[in-house]
Amino acid sequence: MIGQSGIAVKSVQRADAASVAELSKYGVATIHEAMGRVGLLAPYMRPIYPGAKVCGTAVTIFAHPGDNWMLHVAAEMLQAGDVAVLGTSSDNADGMFGDLLATSFRARGAMGLVIDAGCRDTADLRSMQFPVWAKAVYGKGTVKATVGSVNTPIICAGALVHPGDVIIADDDGVVVVPQARAAAVAEAASRREAKEAATRERLGKGELGLDIYGMRDTLAKAGLLYFDDEAAYQDRTASQVVTASQRGPHK
Amino acid sequence: MIGQSGIAVKSVQRADAASVAELSKYGVATIHEAMGRVGLLAPYMRPIYPGAKVCGTAVTIFAHPGDNWMLHVAAEMLQAGDVAVLGTSSDNADGMFGDLLATSFRARGAMGLVIDAGCRDTADLRSMQFPVWAKAVYGKGTVKATVGSVNTPIICAGALVHPGDVIIADDDGVVVVPQARAAAVAEAASRREAKEAATRERLGKGELGLDIYGMRDTLAKAGLLYFDDEAAYQDRTASQVVTASQRGPHK
Amino acid sequence: MIGQSGIAVKSVQRADAASVAELSKYGVATIHEAMGRVGLLAPYMRPIYPGAKVCGTAVTIFAHPGDNWMLHVAAEMLQAGDVAVLGTSSDNADGMFGDLLATSFRARGAMGLVIDAGCRDTADLRSMQFPVWAKAVYGKGTVKATVGSVNTPIICAGALVHPGDVIIADDDGVVVVPQARAAAVAEAASRREAKEAATRERLGKGELGLDIYGMRDTLAKAGLLYFDDEAAYQDRTASQVVTASQRGPHK
Amino acid sequence: MIGQSGIAVKSVQRADAASVAELSKYGVATIHEAMGRVGLLAPYMRPIYPGAKVCGTAVTIFAHPGDNWMLHVAAEMLQAGDVAVLGTSSDNADGMFGDLLATSFRARGAMGLVIDAGCRDTADLRSMQFPVWAKAVYGKGTVKATVGSVNTPIICAGALVHPGDVIIADDDGVVVVPQARAAAVAEAASRREAKEAATRERLGKGELGLDIYGMRDTLAKAGLLYFDDEAAYQDRTASQVVTASQRGPHK
Amino acid sequence: MIGQSGIAVKSVQRADAASVAELSKYGVATIHEAMGRVGLLAPYMRPIYPGAKVCGTAVTIFAHPGDNWMLHVAAEMLQAGDVAVLGTSSDNADGMFGDLLATSFRARGAMGLVIDAGCRDTADLRSMQFPVWAKAVYGKGTVKATVGSVNTPIICAGALVHPGDVIIADDDGVVVVPQARAAAVAEAASRREAKEAATRERLGKGELGLDIYGMRDTLAKAGLLYFDDEAAYQDRTASQVVTASQRGPHK
Amino acid sequence: MIGQSGIAVKSVQRADAASVAELSKYGVATIHEAMGRVGLLAPYMRPIYPGAKVCGTAVTIFAHPGDNWMLHVAAEMLQAGDVAVLGTSSDNADGMFGDLLATSFRARGAMGLVIDAGCRDTADLRSMQFPVWAKAVYGKGTVKATVGSVNTPIICAGALVHPGDVIIADDDGVVVVPQARAAAVAEAASRREAKEAATRERLGKGELGLDIYGMRDTLAKAGLLYFDDEAAYQDRTASQVVTASQRGPHK
């Protein structure tokens, strides 16, 4: 059950270290493509400083608005290589996490935090180089009054995260790789990177994607019309132009 | 795996009809409380007309931005008593659903739609009394070019929905009850309603919640100070007032 | 001090009944103009049903996100003719208020609620015709764990509200009239309405505001240029046109 | 030049009355499809009461934030059958338009208003049945200090509008039809409606869009896989499933 | 009266220099906690470059949308150690402030600006190291047509600011300390910092907040259940788990 | 027609190189003022790294949500000195552009991209110093299924852009200068800069804008009242103060 309060699971299975190490070589965009273009958190999740990057295993936290109690409970479950991931029971931007908790998390081995709420003490966190991806930067403090959960499945910024899943985060945002798929995704990412390297070289020489990917035919079939210049285009009246998108059923 | 494209599952197990019938007696707010205050979709999901209400079993749809192809695929899977629920691979407000699809859905037995995207032809849908909860009302049409999935787990407006789960929607929004918990939640909702009826009567006579719920002691313990009037409050300097929220550790 | 927690003031001075009665004759837009175009709450505050209207004296509530405890404390302070007004310590859309509290509030004499957070049980509230202006309609429930305040100055949706101020709310939103200014504002509103009635009659006959308000000269001085038709306008090159807004210092 | 201040064009060519009359038979969604899925204003433009509908020729207004002066200038240019359309130089939600201006506009023959800003006196406007599509309902008043323009091209809610273009607005939002295309779009809308009527009948009998539109082959080619039930789907490991969207180049 | 136009107060009392100097040692998050978790401006107020920090006394400005006239009026009232703070009569993102005004403000002694609107020339301001906290960065210019006020109480980004109050702003946002409380808050902040330093050291050694703050008992009383692993948790059926948040009255 | 799909115009006229070179000397804010305070894109368009700056001629792209096909088509039309500008048929934040396309665009001579959608691979783009102004940074990939257009007029972030127009973008946002006005705007910007340099020097010496711009009289006429201190202001009752904004007609 998603979002249940009152549960703290001490020990969870984590994605295997080899897969995590392999995934850490790739960026968020590449990994998300390797998974079939899924697994991203919402685009409002931003790093608190540019260049932040992390790859680790999820310890999940379910918290209530204006209440950061469960971050303290989670600290005890964190191990080396973990990334804490926090979802809330409703929308909230309060600064649930700051430099004291970061000190504690780092001492326990945590590599970073992904929080669907606010973060504060961001100048200190930048000095510490403790990376956080958050919905907001906000000085607002919180209470410790209502229990949530630790290490149950959560939804964070629109993505489902299970304890032990792999979390990769960089300047482009955050992606979650289900534990069971970690090895396969790492391999797919590797293949994708290799392929992209070759393409990058060709593109860098001025070759066109249209030719590299063989798109000219499909574009023509999809109805794209080329005109030499604006005058040629104006010569056709708008009413005569039947575009690709106007063909076929629309409803 | 959440959000996978290319899958259409024809037959899924649905929550038992008795539980659905029982749940249909209660509103969204009551059911969400009966579940332990979880299960709600985000508050941006609004009915397209006031007074809309539905309770049924989910047929889930995963679609891509600007593309409503999978709604047609889903039509074939809909049965009497179903509510279609659509999540997208990224944020999109296009009008994926209109009166033609509503005609088709109704003919197949569907009772309504919950769509984390846009809806159109809303005047017609209101005339038909076909209830839709949507993120936006928008005339924008869509293409049919990229496949998503039908009857796989999805995330819709921040909530995890499995095929066959119970969907209850009314003026207050939308709540999802996992299939396995439907009977228990219905029973809890029933108990809650009964209790509320008695409370409502007492409150209606002017009795205070403070007394009915016995809150006066806990409020005092939490640090609430009563003053007879504004003058009495002003007499105390602000610096002397130590509020409950200032006690204890905050970080 | 704005936003202090832990204070409940039992008895506050309210705006005089005669001024409140007089103000109740006017709409939000008129009253806000009569005050010099100030006093409005932010435009996201919307009535939960069309046609809702209220005019009464404020009982103020300061609450924390996800926590509606202070609404119960406020119930005891409410008198006939009051409107409860709730501000929060940080942004929150949880459904802090529903039909039980509405039953209680009405039994105590309250005429409505203005809440910078969420409201639920809205179908019931519409049936009861208990008007609420809220930031969101959302079924999400709340806890009772952290104390706020009642009858201290608050900020609600960007406006400062003191206990006893006059609150007028209708389809156009919500405006607050400071207690000390209630009589003067009512009188100014009355004068404004009288003047508008005369203007409305003239406008209804097709007379132009340009003439009624004598704007033609000031428009010319401000640099508005009239052209007989589009061709005349095209004849002047854009570079020759010097508009009013381009004259004088801009930084 | 878009957005130039200081211009008022008295007489503009309007779309021919026959085309406007023909377009008035169709809804926003149909017309936007008939144009090739373009021409819509942004989805935040909403009618101030449900069921509002208008079709007329645009008198365009360019205004500055917090300033409604040009609405008075526009009143003089309005003719029977016109719809006033207002764009602003920057984002603003102030209530630029209310019942007095509506009285004036109606007296001049205007049928409604589309305003990329706020509207007020909405209860009166609903009583008058004067339809307005606005970004916000807000009581906030405005000054008359800075000139804009009337009857120059504007951008309103993301759409380009020329004076004399046809504006159709209903519950689904607002669409603009360029004057020169009015006749052709009306005809295309008519064809579309006719086709949809036939489709609606078939769908109403339970026939599927999949069959009516012949989608089964294209879905198969696009990679959609059907499974009889959830067990069948689980039998395939996720890693084996190659979806349509994973094929081919993505970057 | 909040938001009144047409007032310019030349000389205001400012918070005493010693308290301002003391407060300048602490960050926004610390000071807001020292005040009882109040006084913050909304989280959308962001510095125009990372690492910006300021602490000074407020000169307040009330301005209208699209109009920066009162910033020039305020320049005359600025003294060494001041921070200008601007609130608006309605939501606006225009670039009211740029490098010329910054040059003027600095020449008068101002240390920075907090503006609930837009800012421009941000590359120049970064070069000058003139810190600004703003709602938006936007090149849009403004007029000088409508008077507002200087040195009257304002609401800026949801917070009440009086002339002479202390403004502290850093990467975490902006907090306002009422003049009369400056000394007491500085002292409380000092105590808090001292206490945090000790806690930070313990946390840095791996000690848990759970133990330092003695939370284990209260967590147990609040209903948190520990499970050794996921299997142990699965063994209990969801229906048997009664969480803390499900106990007691909820409405 | 704005937004038409299916058109690719190979050769377009571009603004003359001399004007572009001249415009490249000025910032976005200055150029927008020189045009009469128009031409800006919406403030949500932000550079992906601070200090990014570009000035070039527009190659326009019209794309559909979740589909970046037309960016590949556009690559072929790009020449040295061009800036690609992309508008969409509806709101979308998917990462349509990344390092591969940037490699291709740079190889063709493009200087940057302005995209009313998402951008990804931002760490790589920063390393490449390939400047992009985007609505969002988001790793989400796209399909290549629906054709849009290249080198037709588009609306991007609320601004009308024709192929060949001059695009200037920096930390303050993005402005578009119509091709025909490029020379005149460059000259006006030059005059403005010269004038500002003189003003800056005077302001830097502590002279006031009030005096430099001669505002004291107009402020008095507009109704601004000066008070020596807060006591003097309090002596006047609020009801007696008639502000400038309260004079004259408001509706």
Side-chain angles (χ1 to χ4, degrees):
Chain A
M1 174 189 162
I2 293 295
Q4 187 176 25
S5 291
I7 306 296
V9 179
K10 293 182 189 171
S11 168
V12 295
Q13 195 186 337
R14 286 158 169 89
D16 67 288
S19 297
V20 176
E22 184 63 21
L23 284 168
S24 74
K25 300 176 186 169
Y26 309 107
V28 164
T30 295
I31 289 170
H32 137 90
E33 290 281 356
M35 289 177 73
R37 287 189 296 121
V38 296
L40 286 169
L41 277 65
Y44 61 72
M45 296 297 287
R46 303 299 304 139
I48 59 168
Y49 51 83
K53 182 159 189 352
V54 83
C55 175
T57 45
V59 164
T60 58
I61 306 165
F62 177 64
H64 296 285
D67 195 309
N68 77 342
W69 211 2
M70 301 316 286
L71 281 159
H72 289 277
V73 175
E76 193 170 25
M77 278 70 158
L78 288 168
Q79 299 180 359
D82 282 344
V83 174
V85 185
L86 183 145
T88 59
S89 63
S90 63
D91 195 43
N92 184 250
D94 289 355
M96 293 191 181
F97 185 87
D99 81 296
L100 285 188
L101 273 167
T103 301
S104 176
F105 276 30
R106 174 161 283 174
R108 309 296 295 186
M111 303 174 70
L113 170 72
V114 172
I115 181 166
D116 195 358
C119 177
R120 62 181 187 173
D121 300 334
T122 46
D124 293 330
L125 297 174
R126 193 172 57 224
S127 297
M128 295 171 64
Q129 287 286 300
F130 188 91
V132 177
W133 285 257
K135 183 166 76 173
V137 170
Y138 195 28
K140 179 71 162 56
T142 50
V143 295
K144 287 153 192 50
T146 308
V147 297
S149 290
V150 175
N151 278 333
T152 60
I154 59 167
I155 291 180
C156 179
L160 180 65
V161 183
H162 287 84
D165 285 349
V166 189
I167 303 295
I168 302 95
D170 62 18
D171 284 315
D172 286 351
V174 185
V175 68
V176 52
V177 179
Q179 201 172 148
R181 299 190 69 214
V185 169
E187 196 184 312
S190 169
R191 282 194 307 270
R192 187 176 169 86
E193 284 275 291
K195 191 174 153 194
E196 285 197 352
T199 305
R200 188 177 294 108
E201 198 181 335
R202 294 174 66 183
L203 291 169
K205 290 174 179 164
E207 210 174 334
L208 289 166
L210 294 180
D211 299 313
I212 296 175
Y213 303 128
M215 290 171 175
R216 294 192 190 271
D217 276 1
T218 45
L219 280 167
K221 278 180 200 153
L224 185 67
L225 302 176
Y226 279 88
F227 297 87
D228 282 343
D229 53 28
E230 286 158 311
Y233 167 47
Q234 298 298 343
D235 281 355
R236 296 179 61 121
T237 66
S239 61
Q240 289 176 308
V241 175
V242 178
T243 71
S245 65
Q246 286 173 301
R247 291 189 194 126
H250 285 300
K251 201 179 281 184
Chain B
M1 175 189 161
I2 293 296
Q4 188 176 25
S5 291
I7 307 296
V9 179
K10 292 183 191 173
S11 168
V12 295
Q13 195 186 336
R14 286 159 169 88
D16 68 288
S19 297
V20 177
E22 184 62 20
L23 284 168
S24 73
K25 300 176 187 170
Y26 309 106
V28 164
T30 294
I31 287 170
H32 138 89
E33 290 281 356
M35 288 176 73
R37 286 188 299 121
V38 295
L40 286 170
L41 277 64
Y44 62 71
M45 297 296 287
R46 304 298 304 140
I48 59 168
Y49 50 85
K53 181 157 188 358
V54 82
C55 176
T57 45
V59 164
T60 59
I61 306 165
F62 178 64
H64 296 284
D67 195 308
N68 77 343
W69 211 2
M70 300 315 287
L71 281 159
H72 289 277
V73 175
E76 193 170 25
M77 279 69 158
L78 288 167
Q79 299 181 357
D82 283 343
V83 174
V85 184
L86 183 145
T88 59
S89 63
S90 62
D91 195 45
N92 185 249
D94 290 355
M96 293 191 181
F97 184 89
D99 80 296
L100 285 188
L101 272 167
T103 301
S104 176
F105 276 29
R106 174 161 282 173
R108 309 297 295 187
M111 304 174 70
L113 170 72
V114 172
I115 181 166
D116 194 359
C119 177
R120 62 182 187 172
D121 300 334
T122 47
D124 293 331
L125 296 175
R126 194 172 54 224
S127 297
M128 294 171 65
Q129 287 286 302
F130 189 90
V132 178
W133 285 257
K135 183 166 75 172
V137 170
Y138 196 28
K140 180 71 162 54
T142 50
V143 296
K144 288 153 191 48
T146 309
V147 295
S149 290
V150 175
N151 278 333
T152 61
I154 59 166
I155 291 180
C156 179
L160 180 65
V161 183
H162 287 84
D165 285 349
V166 188
I167 303 294
I168 302 95
D170 63 18
D171 283 316
D172 286 350
V174 185
V175 67
V176 52
V177 179
Q179 201 173 148
R181 299 190 69 214
V185 170
E187 197 184 311
S190 169
R191 281 196 306 270
R192 186 176 169 86
E193 284 275 291
K195 190 174 153 194
E196 284 198 352
T199 305
R200 189 177 294 107
E201 198 182 335
R202 293 175 67 182
L203 291 170
K205 290 175 180 164
E207 210 173 334
L208 289 167
L210 294 181
D211 298 313
I212 296 175
Y213 304 128
M215 290 171 175
R216 294 193 189 270
D217 277 1
T218 44
L219 280 167
K221 278 179 200 154
L224 185 67
L225 303 176
Y226 279 89
F227 297 87
D228 281 343
D229 53 29
E230 287 158 311
Y233 167 47
Q234 298 299 342
D235 282 353
R236 296 180 62 120
T237 67
S239 62
Q240 289 176 309
V241 175
V242 179
T243 71
S245 65
Q246 286 172 301
R247 293 192 192 124
H250 284 301
K251 198 178 284 184
Chain C
M1 177 189 160
I2 293 296
Q4 187 177 25
S5 291
I7 306 295
V9 179
K10 292 182 190 173
S11 169
V12 295
Q13 195 186 336
R14 285 157 170 90
D16 66 289
S19 297
V20 177
E22 185 63 21
L23 284 167
S24 73
K25 300 176 186 170
Y26 310 105
V28 163
T30 295
I31 288 171
H32 137 89
E33 289 281 357
M35 288 177 73
R37 287 188 298 121
V38 296
L40 286 169
L41 277 65
Y44 61 72
M45 297 296 287
R46 302 298 306 139
I48 59 168
Y49 51 84
K53 182 156 187 358
V54 83
C55 175
T57 44
V59 163
T60 60
I61 305 166
F62 178 64
H64 296 285
D67 194 309
N68 76 344
W69 211 2
M70 300 316 287
L71 282 159
H72 289 277
V73 175
E76 193 170 24
M77 277 70 158
L78 288 168
Q79 300 180 359
D82 283 343
V83 174
V85 184
L86 184 145
T88 59
S89 63
S90 62
D91 195 44
N92 184 250
D94 289 355
M96 293 191 181
F97 185 88
D99 80 296
L100 285 188
L101 272 167
T103 301
S104 175
F105 275 30
R106 173 161 283 174
R108 310 296 295 186
M111 304 173 70
L113 171 71
V114 172
I115 182 167
D116 194 359
C119 177
R120 61 183 188 173
D121 300 334
T122 47
D124 293 331
L125 296 175
R126 195 172 54 225
S127 297
M128 294 171 65
Q129 287 286 299
F130 188 90
V132 177
W133 286 257
K135 183 165 77 173
V137 170
Y138 195 28
K140 179 72 162 54
T142 50
V143 295
K144 286 152 192 51
T146 308
V147 296
S149 290
V150 175
N151 277 334
T152 60
I154 59 167
I155 291 179
C156 179
L160 179 66
V161 184
H162 286 85
D165 284 349
V166 189
I167 302 296
I168 302 95
D170 62 18
D171 284 315
D172 287 350
V174 185
V175 68
V176 52
V177 179
Q179 200 173 146
R181 298 191 70 213
V185 170
E187 196 184 311
S190 169
R191 280 196 306 269
R192 188 178 168 85
E193 284 275 289
K195 190 173 153 194
E196 285 197 351
T199 306
R200 189 177 293 107
E201 199 182 333
R202 294 173 68 182
L203 291 169
K205 291 176 179 162
E207 210 174 334
L208 288 167
L210 292 182
D211 298 313
I212 296 175
Y213 304 128
M215 291 171 173
R216 294 195 190 269
D217 276 1
T218 45
L219 280 166
K221 279 179 199 154
L224 185 66
L225 302 175
Y226 279 88
F227 297 86
D228 282 343
D229 53 28
E230 286 158 311
Y233 167 48
Q234 298 297 344
D235 281 354
R236 295 179 61 122
T237 66
S239 62
Q240 290 176 307
V241 175
V242 178
T243 71
S245 67
Q246 286 174 300
R247 292 192 192 125
H250 286 302
K251 199 179 281 182
Chain D
M1 176 190 161
I2 292 295
Q4 189 177 23
S5 291
I7 306 296
V9 179
K10 292 182 188 173
S11 169
V12 295
Q13 196 186 335
R14 286 157 169 90
D16 67 287
S19 297
V20 177
E22 185 63 22
L23 284 167
S24 73
K25 300 177 185 167
Y26 310 105
V28 163
T30 295
I31 288 170
H32 138 89
E33 291 281 357
M35 287 177 72
R37 285 188 300 121
V38 295
L40 285 170
L41 277 64
Y44 61 71
M45 296 298 286
R46 303 298 305 141
I48 59 168
Y49 51 85
K53 183 160 188 354
V54 82
C55 176
T57 44
V59 163
T60 59
I61 305 166
F62 177 64
H64 296 284
D67 195 310
N68 77 342
W69 211 2
M70 300 316 287
L71 282 158
H72 289 277
V73 175
E76 193 171 24
M77 278 71 158
L78 288 167
Q79 299 182 358
D82 283 343
V83 174
V85 184
L86 184 146
T88 59
S89 63
S90 63
D91 196 44
N92 183 249
D94 290 355
M96 292 191 183
F97 184 88
D99 81 296
L100 285 188
L101 273 167
T103 301
S104 177
F105 276 29
R106 174 161 283 173
R108 310 295 296 186
M111 304 174 70
L113 171 72
V114 172
I115 182 166
D116 194 359
C119 178
R120 63 181 187 173
D121 300 333
T122 46
D124 293 330
L125 297 175
R126 193 171 57 226
S127 296
M128 294 171 65
Q129 288 286 299
F130 188 91
V132 177
W133 285 256
K135 183 167 79 174
V137 170
Y138 194 27
K140 179 71 162 56
T142 50
V143 295
K144 288 153 191 49
T146 308
V147 296
S149 290
V150 175
N151 278 334
T152 60
I154 59 167
I155 291 179
C156 180
L160 179 65
V161 183
H162 287 84
D165 284 350
V166 189
I167 303 295
I168 302 94
D170 62 18
D171 283 317
D172 286 351
V174 185
V175 68
V176 52
V177 179
Q179 202 172 144
R181 299 191 68 213
V185 170
E187 196 184 310
S190 168
R191 282 196 305 270
R192 188 177 168 86
E193 285 275 290
K195 190 174 154 194
E196 286 197 352
T199 305
R200 188 177 294 108
E201 198 183 333
R202 293 174 68 181
L203 291 169
K205 290 175 180 164
E207 209 173 334
L208 289 166
L210 293 180
D211 298 313
I212 296 174
Y213 305 126
M215 290 172 175
R216 294 192 190 272
D217 276 1
T218 45
L219 280 167
K221 278 178 200 155
L224 185 67
L225 302 175
Y226 279 87
F227 298 86
D228 282 343
D229 53 27
E230 286 157 311
Y233 167 48
Q234 298 297 343
D235 281 354
R236 296 179 60 120
T237 66
S239 61
Q240 291 175 308
V241 175
V242 178
T243 70
S245 66
Q246 287 173 299
R247 290 188 195 130
H250 285 301
K251 198 179 286 184
Chain E
M1 176 190 161
I2 293 295
Q4 189 177 23
S5 292
I7 306 296
V9 179
K10 292 181 189 174
S11 169
V12 295
Q13 196 186 336
R14 286 158 169 89
D16 67 289
S19 297
V20 176
E22 185 63 23
L23 285 167
S24 73
K25 300 177 186 168
Y26 310 106
V28 163
T30 295
I31 287 171
H32 137 89
E33 291 281 357
M35 288 177 72
R37 286 190 297 122
V38 296
L40 286 169
L41 276 65
Y44 60 71
M45 295 298 286
R46 304 297 306 140
I48 58 168
Y49 51 85
K53 181 157 188 357
V54 83
C55 176
T57 44
V59 163
T60 59
I61 305 166
F62 178 64
H64 296 284
D67 195 309
N68 77 342
W69 211 3
M70 300 316 286
L71 282 159
H72 289 278
V73 176
E76 193 170 25
M77 278 72 157
L78 288 167
Q79 299 181 359
D82 283 343
V83 174
V85 185
L86 184 146
T88 60
S89 63
S90 63
D91 196 44
N92 183 250
D94 289 356
M96 292 191 182
F97 184 88
D99 81 295
L100 285 188
L101 273 167
T103 301
S104 176
F105 276 30
R106 173 161 283 175
R108 309 296 295 186
M111 303 173 69
L113 171 72
V114 172
I115 181 166
D116 194 359
C119 178
R120 62 181 187 173
D121 300 333
T122 47
D124 293 330
L125 296 175
R126 193 171 57 225
S127 296
M128 293 171 65
Q129 288 286 298
F130 188 90
V132 177
W133 285 256
K135 183 166 79 172
V137 170
Y138 196 28
K140 179 73 161 55
T142 49
V143 295
K144 287 152 191 50
T146 309
V147 295
S149 290
V150 174
N151 279 333
T152 60
I154 59 167
I155 291 180
C156 179
L160 180 64
V161 183
H162 286 84
D165 284 349
V166 189
I167 302 296
I168 302 95
D170 62 17
D171 283 317
D172 287 350
V174 186
V175 68
V176 53
V177 179
Q179 201 173 144
R181 299 191 68 214
V185 170
E187 196 184 310
S190 169
R191 282 196 306 270
R192 187 177 168 86
E193 285 274 291
K195 191 173 153 194
E196 286 197 351
T199 306
R200 188 177 294 107
E201 198 183 334
R202 294 174 67 181
L203 291 169
K205 291 175 180 163
E207 209 173 335
L208 289 167
L210 293 180
D211 299 312
I212 295 174
Y213 304 128
M215 290 172 175
R216 294 193 190 273
D217 276 1
T218 45
L219 280 167
K221 278 179 199 155
L224 184 67
L225 303 175
Y226 279 88
F227 298 86
D228 282 343
D229 53 28
E230 286 157 311
Y233 166 49
Q234 298 298 344
D235 281 353
R236 296 179 60 120
T237 66
S239 62
Q240 290 175 308
V241 176
V242 177
T243 71
S245 66
Q246 287 173 302
R247 291 190 195 127
H250 285 301
K251 199 180 283 184
Chain F
M1 176 189 160
I2 294 295
Q4 188 178 24
S5 291
I7 306 296
V9 178
K10 292 182 189 173
S11 169
V12 294
Q13 195 187 335
R14 285 157 170 89
D16 67 288
S19 298
V20 177
E22 184 63 21
L23 284 168
S24 73
K25 300 177 186 169
Y26 309 106
V28 163
T30 295
I31 288 172
H32 137 89
E33 290 281 356
M35 289 177 73
R37 286 189 296 122
V38 297
L40 286 169
L41 276 65
Y44 61 72
M45 296 297 286
R46 302 299 305 140
I48 59 168
Y49 50 84
K53 182 156 187 0
V54 83
C55 175
T57 45
V59 162
T60 59
I61 305 166
F62 178 65
H64 296 284
D67 194 310
N68 77 343
W69 211 2
M70 301 315 288
L71 282 159
H72 289 278
V73 175
E76 193 170 24
M77 278 69 158
L78 288 167
Q79 299 181 358
D82 283 344
V83 173
V85 184
L86 184 145
T88 59
S89 64
S90 63
D91 196 44
N92 184 249
D94 289 356
M96 293 191 181
F97 185 88
D99 81 294
L100 285 187
L101 272 167
T103 300
S104 176
F105 275 30
R106 173 161 283 174
R108 309 295 296 185
M111 303 173 69
L113 171 71
V114 172
I115 182 165
D116 195 359
C119 176
R120 63 182 187 173
D121 300 334
T122 48
D124 293 331
L125 296 175
R126 195 172 53 226
S127 297
M128 294 172 65
Q129 287 286 299
F130 189 90
V132 177
W133 284 257
K135 184 166 77 173
V137 170
Y138 194 28
K140 179 72 161 56
T142 50
V143 296
K144 286 153 193 51
T146 309
V147 297
S149 291
V150 175
N151 277 334
T152 60
I154 59 167
I155 289 179
C156 178
L160 179 65
V161 184
H162 287 84
D165 284 348
V166 189
I167 302 295
I168 302 96
D170 63 18
D171 284 315
D172 286 349
V174 186
V175 68
V176 53
V177 179
Q179 200 173 146
R181 296 191 71 213
V185 170
E187 196 184 311
S190 169
R191 281 195 307 270
R192 187 177 169 85
E193 284 274 291
K195 191 174 153 194
E196 285 197 351
T199 305
R200 189 177 294 106
E201 199 183 332
R202 294 174 67 182
L203 292 169
K205 290 175 180 163
E207 210 173 332
L208 289 167
L210 293 181
D211 298 312
I212 297 174
Y213 304 128
M215 291 171 173
R216 295 195 189 270
D217 277 1
T218 45
L219 280 166
K221 278 179 199 155
L224 185 67
L225 302 175
Y226 279 87
F227 297 87
D228 281 343
D229 53 29
E230 286 158 312
Y233 168 47
Q234 298 298 343
D235 280 355
R236 295 179 62 121
T237 66
S239 61
Q240 290 175 306
V241 176
V242 178
T243 71
S245 66
Q246 286 173 301
R247 291 190 194 128
H250 286 302
K251 198 179 279 183

